[in-house]
Amino acid sequence: MKQIILCSLLFFIQSIWSQTTIDMDADYILVDKGELTFLKATDGIINTKTEVRFYPVDPELGKEIKIRTVEATTYDIKRFHDISNAANEYSFVIDVSSIKTQKARKLLKKLKREKIYYKKSDKEIYQLTYYNQFSFKYSENHDITRQNNGVTKWGSYDEELTKFVVVNLKNKKPIIIFPYIKPNHTYSEYDRSDEKFLISYLGFIIPQKKTSLVKYFNEKFESSATTYPFLKGIQSNQDKTPSWSYNFKFEDSQLKDRVFGQVLLDKKFDTIAINNGFIFCLKDDKTTLYNLELENITPKDLQAAFPITPETTYAICLIGSTVKYISKKGETIPKLPKRFVRSRCISGYANYNTTYTIVHNEKGALLSSKSLYYDSEDNVQTLIVEHKLFDKQQYEAVYFINNPYQEKLQTNYTPSTLRYTPDYIVIKNKGKFGLQSTVIKPSKNEQPNPFEFKELLPAEYDSIKRITENYILIAKDNLFGIYGLTEVKYAKLDVSEYFSRFTLPNGQKGWIDKLGREFLDE
């Protein structure tokens, strides 16, 4: 009868909150293809096993890590002996005493310097690279010499981030595991078995005393600081960092890992925006800039910074009194390089057969919508709906702000949402201009659909003009401002999407950012 160190079935659960580190006591690690089991022995007899589980904590990716230690079954003991006696490339046993003694931080620091790779062929090498505090980067590298006119060159054709967890075994013997992270909605509520929370392993790094054992996707990787030096300088064929931004979240004034809730920066911020592979942090109007590797790339004298759409390689920033562009490595340039930018496709159904028109007749100004549609016999039909705007002679002119002459433009809308008129409406009265907005809401009970009208600016401005898609320049008494963003107080104002240049009546110059903050020249 085997010796049991527990008086009864041991069911011990250790919760690890907001960490990616697990403390565990084990004498052996049983590796069986994509499964890892941690075993404990007393006097050479296996008596307990420890498993790692993920429990969902939100509707998306958030996980709580728990370890569960139970009595080893007869099957567990038999499997241990079978695999020990007939080990192969995919199933084997690791004696924990063979693992190198060191602190987890030292191990990660070493892995950050090394190159971990699997050579599939002379022209194809896969690589695991330490990326940040919760992820490694898995990349597929190819020899593209032929595409580079005979000049030897390698390029990375596919990259993805893979989460890692540090398992601290007894006596400071850390290892790295790469768990498969699945969306929380895939945990079936109908499956009552606790086994559904067992994790699947993509791979692991086990630093043994002589060499490190690295497996990923069932392939054995090697590690070296000197072999294949070009691996350090390989450039990605496509920048994936914009899509990796979802790995982070802003919670309790801190930047955290979206899966395990680990705090990633030792600072708290008022606001954090993660976009296009940049992390923009704001505290007391001071901006700090990071890349997704969590490197602080904030340039000296940074005033403000914003992501650029659709540009993903650079962010725009105000450094001192100069607008520049910054890369994800912290390098600044005075202007963006010229290159072809692919347009982005926006998914969703849009009806391009609706035209809004402002009609002037003896009744006054009407807002007319003309829609074309197919009836049940596939004949084109026309539906015209009119809404009264103003009585006749109430205003000298009424027009869309982005089309003051034709007073007509094409627009589109999604039928399942509110239908908005194409844009703001400008009214003119006694030589002065004002700004109005209109909203038409679909209704099953009222025809035509209910119409809402709102005055945004009274008719007391010298001019109202759209300058960019998001900004409207307004002028009054020879002073300028941006509607919804600034006061009307500038003697000169050159409006731009991210940073607008201004001159005050006293001659002082400066910049306004897209949040409305002023930065005076020193």
Side-chain angles (χ1 to χ4, degrees):
M1 181 178 178
K2 64 178 182 285
Q3 180 181 359
I4 303 297
I5 62 171
L6 306 176
C7 60
S8 62
L9 176 68
L10 174 64
F11 185 89
F12 172 69
I13 293 180
Q14 176 186 358
S15 297
I16 301 97
W17 293 98
S18 299
Q19 296 288 325
T20 53
T21 300
I22 305 171
D23 293 323
M24 189 184 299
D25 188 8
D27 295 309
Y28 300 97
I29 303 173
L30 178 66
V31 180
D32 191 6
K33 298 181 178 64
E35 180 184 349
L36 268 68
T37 305
F38 298 86
L39 301 170
K40 180 71 178 173
T42 300
D43 296 331
I45 300 175
I46 301 297
N47 47 41
T48 63
K49 70 174 180 180
T50 300
E51 301 165 332
V52 183
R53 282 168 159 76
F54 287 167
Y55 291 88
V57 295
D58 61 35
E60 298 174 350
L61 291 173
K63 307 283 193 300
E64 177 188 355
I65 308 176
K66 293 183 179 181
I67 60 173
R68 172 172 167 165
T69 302
V70 297
E71 179 184 345
T73 65
T74 302
Y75 169 77
D76 296 324
I77 297 172
K78 182 179 184 303
R79 187 168 66 144
F80 169 77
H81 289 297
D82 289 346
I83 292 177
S84 296
N85 295 328
N88 57 49
E89 183 180 354
Y90 304 104
S91 299
F92 47 90
V93 173
I94 299 172
D95 190 328
V96 170
S97 64
S98 70
I99 297 176
K100 186 175 181 179
T101 301
Q102 60 186 323
K103 291 183 178 180
R105 181 175 295 182
K106 184 178 180 181
L107 169 62
L108 293 174
K109 193 173 181 180
K110 179 175 181 288
L111 292 174
K112 192 172 183 180
R113 295 193 307 265
E114 286 189 338
K115 292 184 288 293
I116 304 172
Y117 63 91
Y118 161 62
K119 183 180 178 182
K120 186 173 183 179
S121 70
D122 289 338
K123 295 185 179 295
E124 189 173 357
I125 298 178
Y126 296 84
Q127 189 178 9
L128 271 174
T129 309
Y130 178 90
Y131 189 73
N132 59 28
Q133 293 167 233
F134 61 88
S135 297
F136 273 66
K137 181 175 68 174
Y138 176 70
S139 54
E140 178 181 330
N141 306 312
H142 293 266
D143 183 349
I144 56 174
T145 302
R146 183 179 301 176
Q147 303 173 31
N148 202 43
N149 297 322
V151 179
T152 302
K153 186 176 181 180
W154 282 71
S156 179
Y157 270 69
D158 193 21
E159 293 181 329
E160 61 182 36
L161 290 188
T162 180
K163 304 284 184 183
F164 74 89
V165 175
V166 176
V167 179
N168 267 325
L169 297 169
K170 65 176 184 179
N171 299 324
K172 297 181 181 178
K173 295 180 180 293
I175 67 171
I176 305 292
I177 60 173
F178 297 105
Y180 171 61
I181 308 295
K182 62 180 183 178
N184 290 341
H185 67 80
T186 60
Y187 291 90
S188 173
E189 59 182 292
Y190 302 105
D191 184 357
R192 298 183 179 276
S193 171
D194 193 56
E195 298 299 310
K196 67 182 178 182
F197 299 112
L198 273 171
I199 70 172
S200 299
Y201 292 85
L202 298 175
F204 54 80
I205 299 176
I206 298 178
Q208 295 176 295
K209 293 176 181 178
K210 293 184 178 180
T211 183
S212 291
L213 177 60
V214 183
K215 298 271 285 189
Y216 196 78
F217 285 151
N218 277 330
E219 300 292 353
K220 187 175 180 180
F221 281 61
E222 300 176 59
S223 61
S224 170
T226 57
T227 307
Y228 302 122
F230 60 82
L231 286 175
K232 279 285 187 181
I234 289 182
Q235 294 184 349
S236 303
N237 186 52
Q238 182 182 4
D239 183 7
K240 294 290 188 70
T241 57
S243 62
W244 292 344
S245 298
Y246 78 95
N247 286 279
F248 302 84
K249 66 178 180 179
F250 181 52
E251 184 179 74
D252 301 327
S253 301
Q254 291 181 303
L255 182 71
K256 296 183 179 182
D257 160 36
R258 184 173 295 279
V259 176
F260 301 120
Q262 176 190 5
V263 176
L264 302 175
L265 298 175
D266 58 359
K267 299 178 182 178
K268 291 189 174 184
F269 297 95
D270 301 324
T271 304
I272 289 181
I274 307 165
N275 198 310
N276 282 351
F278 293 91
I279 303 174
F280 305 85
C281 304
L282 197 63
K283 176 68 174 179
D284 298 329
D285 278 340
K286 182 180 179 181
T287 299
T288 307
L289 194 58
Y290 297 87
N291 58 25
L292 296 197
E293 296 178 70
L294 301 178
E295 297 171 333
N296 190 331
I297 57 172
T298 309
K300 184 181 178 182
D301 298 326
L302 179 67
Q303 304 263 37
F306 299 99
I308 312 172
T309 302
E311 169 66 49
T312 61
T313 306
Y314 294 89
I316 190 170
C317 53
L318 180 64
I319 302 175
S321 298
T322 306
V323 174
K324 292 186 178 182
Y325 300 88
I326 187 168
S327 73
K328 290 162 192 168
K329 291 299 181 182
E331 301 161 341
T332 59
I333 56 176
K335 61 181 181 179
L336 287 176
K338 293 182 179 180
R339 60 171 165 264
F340 176 73
V341 179
R342 292 180 175 86
S343 61
R344 293 184 174 182
C345 177
I346 301 175
S347 62
Y349 168 76
N351 181 353
Y352 289 90
N353 295 320
T354 299
T355 302
Y356 288 97
T357 310
I358 295 178
V359 179
H360 298 272
N361 58 24
E362 68 279 356
K363 297 180 181 179
L366 304 176
L367 178 64
S368 172
S369 66
K370 178 181 178 181
S371 301
L372 303 179
Y373 66 94
Y374 290 96
D375 61 17
S376 58
E377 297 179 354
D378 285 337
N379 296 316
V380 178
Q381 301 292 336
T382 302
L383 174 65
I384 297 177
V385 179
E386 293 183 337
H387 301 268
K388 182 178 179 181
L389 289 175
F390 307 105
D391 293 329
K392 187 178 182 181
Q393 304 302 327
Q394 187 173 354
Y395 293 109
E396 298 171 18
V398 179
Y399 54 85
F400 293 130
I401 190 172
N402 53 338
N403 202 332
Y405 303 107
Q406 297 178 7
E407 300 179 356
K408 179 179 180 179
L409 83 163
Q410 201 83 357
T411 187
N412 60 67
Y413 63 92
T414 303
S416 61
T417 62
L418 298 184
R419 289 189 298 169
Y420 289 82
T421 52
D423 216 329
Y424 298 105
I425 291 176
V426 175
I427 52 96
K428 183 179 180 182
N429 187 34
K430 298 179 181 179
K432 298 291 184 179
F433 297 89
L435 193 63
Q436 315 277 354
S437 71
T438 59
V439 178
I440 302 173
K441 296 185 176 181
S443 173
K444 295 181 180 179
N445 303 319
E446 298 181 55
Q447 292 298 326
N449 293 321
F451 171 81
E452 293 182 2
F453 187 75
K454 182 180 180 181
E455 180 183 83
L456 304 176
L457 294 174
E460 58 184 36
Y461 292 84
D462 300 325
S463 67
I464 298 178
K465 298 178 180 179
R466 177 182 291 284
I467 303 299
T468 71
E469 183 179 353
N470 297 315
Y471 294 139
I472 297 173
L473 181 67
I474 54 180
K476 184 178 180 181
D477 299 330
N478 293 322
L479 295 176
F480 300 90
I482 301 173
Y483 168 70
L485 190 69
T486 73
E487 300 176 24
V488 181
K489 65 175 188 177
Y490 303 102
K492 185 178 180 181
L493 185 56
D494 296 322
V495 180
S496 185
E497 187 68 27
Y498 301 97
F499 296 101
S500 300
R501 187 70 169 161
F502 68 78
T503 303
L504 292 171
N506 63 4
Q508 176 71 60
K509 295 183 178 181
W511 296 89
I512 306 166
D513 71 7
K514 65 182 301 181
L515 301 180
R517 298 177 299 174
E518 282 189 2
F519 302 95
L520 294 174
D521 291 353
E522 295 182 358

